[in-house]
Amino acid sequence: MLKACTINTRKEELCRCSTLPPIDKAGSAPFLAWHRWFTWTYEQALRIECGYKGLQPYWDWTLDAHNIEASPLFDGSDSSMSGNGIAVPHGNRRKVNSFPGRPTSVTIVPAGNGGGCVITGPFANITVSFGQVGGDLNPGLLNNPHNLDFNPHCLRRDLSPKVVEPALAPERVRAILSSPNIVVFNQLLNVGVVPGVQGLHGGGHEGVGGDMSDFFSSPGDPIFYFHHAQVDRIWTQWQQLDLKTRQYALSGTGTVGNYPPSPIFNLNDTINLGKLSPEGPRPIRDIMSTVRGPFCYEYA
């Protein structure tokens, strides 16, 4: 039985925060800036609360696109981010995209070679508290019809070379860095332009599969933060190619596909991280640079 949500851990609070309005940020105007702030906040929590002394790593997709299962990040060793889920017989994944005020759609994602619980590496047998919502992303897992109800389960992955190889290939990164404006950049990131091939953002989520495929549980997989650090890195590189016109480039409304209809988002509009941000909401202009506002970091 699903239980009403009670936040007991920082990890659960991070998962809950990722569902703040706009409930599905991918493709909305605040998407890049919100995740920059969110990933940075996660890193600060590691440092301040957990004594972490290192830097926030990013997942360079181009190094693994040709063979994700052989990647040092996913080989299940002690220095990895844990391996694939155990192999569970299943077909292509059916992902139901249903959010308030938006038309429901279904995405078919090529099956990977896992699908079950992650049992190797540092994150073997950890618990993810939320998800799944709709579809059959995780074989055998009870659907959670109320989005944020407590639904504890093992971390699951379904590494899919059929998703990763075309979506995260080096030529896709070169293409997005060649985007002439933020509209094209966002399209290549979140939608893609090749029929049947995910954008870079979706390619990372769907390529790892399992909980990473589920909007409500993806921050429960530690690779989420590596993936979004890479998204932020690519955005930063693109901005730095023409800071004069790109540093504060913004396009779109605060809702995906303008569902439900909402005003055009501008630099004075605010975004928030809920309880993760005691100082409250921030104007999006404060989040557009990695060396201004609350930030002071660069990518190697």
Side-chain angles (χ1 to χ4, degrees):
M1 177 182 294
L2 301 171
K3 300 179 180 179
C5 172
T6 300
I7 304 299
N8 298 308
T9 68
R10 176 64 85 195
K11 182 161 72 77
E12 290 177 358
E13 193 168 44
L14 286 159
C15 285
R16 182 66 178 267
C17 178
S18 74
T19 64
L20 289 170
I23 197 166
D24 181 13
K25 299 172 185 69
S28 65
F31 170 78
L32 289 163
W34 191 95
H35 281 88
R36 170 175 284 173
W37 189 15
F38 183 62
T39 304
W40 176 85
T41 298
Y42 166 80
E43 181 183 5
Q44 299 312 299
L46 287 180
R47 292 176 178 278
I48 296 169
E49 300 173 29
C50 304
Y52 178 62
K53 302 298 183 184
L55 303 174
Q56 172 59 49
Y58 56 82
W59 172 25
D60 186 345
W61 314 303
T62 65
L63 300 178
D64 299 326
H66 65 290
N67 191 353
I68 187 174
E69 292 174 301
S71 166
L73 277 179
F74 297 106
D75 64 8
S77 64
D78 290 343
S79 59
S80 72
M81 293 299 288
S82 284
N84 199 3
I86 58 175
V88 175
H90 64 289
N92 290 340
R93 297 182 241 131
R94 179 177 171 271
K95 183 174 183 178
V96 178
N97 308 294
S98 179
F99 297 95
R102 290 178 55 190
T104 297
S105 63
V106 177
T107 303
I108 303 300
V109 182
N113 299 319
C117 299
V118 172
I119 61 172
T120 59
F123 302 105
N125 302 310
I126 68 168
T127 298
V128 178
S129 299
F130 308 117
Q132 70 181 352
V133 181
D136 52 5
L137 304 178
N138 294 300
L141 178 62
L142 178 67
N143 266 342
N144 183 346
H146 302 296
N147 301 340
L148 286 172
D149 281 350
F150 195 54
N151 191 24
H153 57 276
C154 65
L155 172 64
R156 298 183 180 218
R157 287 181 181 160
D158 187 27
L159 299 183
S160 177
K162 290 182 179 179
V163 173
V164 170
E165 288 182 21
L168 304 182
E171 56 266 29
R172 302 291 175 220
V173 174
R174 289 194 293 269
I176 197 171
L177 290 175
S178 299
S179 300
N181 53 57
I182 192 64
V183 175
V184 175
F185 184 95
N186 283 333
Q187 182 180 26
L188 292 175
L189 181 67
N190 289 305
V191 181
V193 295
V194 179
V197 177
Q198 296 270 350
L200 289 162
H201 171 237
H205 278 277
E206 306 294 358
V208 173
D211 284 293
M212 270 286 279
S213 289
D214 189 325
F215 172 76
F216 292 92
S217 66
S218 58
D221 188 333
I223 201 65
F224 174 97
Y225 302 96
F226 284 49
H227 178 50
H228 274 280
Q230 170 72 347
V231 170
D232 186 59
R233 174 175 173 255
I234 296 300
W235 181 33
T236 301
Q237 290 177 342
W238 181 80
Q239 288 179 306
Q240 291 173 341
L241 290 171
D242 185 359
L243 282 174
K244 184 177 180 179
T245 63
R246 296 179 180 181
Q247 184 72 84
Y248 295 100
L250 193 64
S251 175
T253 70
T255 49
V256 181
N258 202 31
Y259 290 112
S262 59
I264 295 294
F265 219 79
N266 67 65
L267 293 169
N268 294 320
D269 287 327
T270 59
I271 55 179
N272 77 90
L273 297 183
K275 293 181 179 179
L276 291 179
S277 176
E279 68 273 24
R282 284 185 177 273
I284 200 170
R285 69 168 64 252
D286 290 354
I287 314 296
M288 300 295 282
S289 169
T290 64
V291 293
R292 295 177 185 172
F295 309 132
C296 185
Y297 67 90
E298 295 179 338
Y299 285 102

